[in-house]
Amino acid sequence: ASTVAGAAGDTAGAGSAAKAQVYATSLMALKLDSNAETDYLKNLAKGLGLSDAERDALHVSMGVPPIKG
């Protein structure tokens, strides 16, 4: 959780493009084959202030299935 808080906190004053880039970088690094990775991305998106729709749009744009739930 501290890693998520750190990444999200670093972008607190940044625009939406910077926040999307932080999220996309994490998404590229993960395989999403565990609940821990899915939970990490959910928490990261929330910490960055991304809506579920924005998060899902990033997934689609990168060819990765959206997170369910």
Side-chain angles (χ1 to χ4, degrees):
S2 62
T3 303
V4 172
D10 290 345
T11 63
S16 60
K19 293 176 182 184
Q21 186 174 16
V22 169
Y23 186 87
T25 300
S26 287
L27 182 57
M28 286 188 299
L30 300 174
K31 294 181 182 181
L32 292 182
D33 58 357
S34 73
N35 288 337
E37 291 174 340
T38 301
D39 289 345
Y40 168 80
L41 286 176
K42 285 181 181 180
N43 289 329
L44 179 61
K46 183 178 178 181
L48 291 170
L50 297 174
S51 69
D52 291 350
E54 290 170 320
R55 181 196 68 207
D56 292 347
L58 286 168
H59 281 247
V60 170
S61 73
M62 295 176 68
V64 177
I67 295 174
K68 296 178 182 176

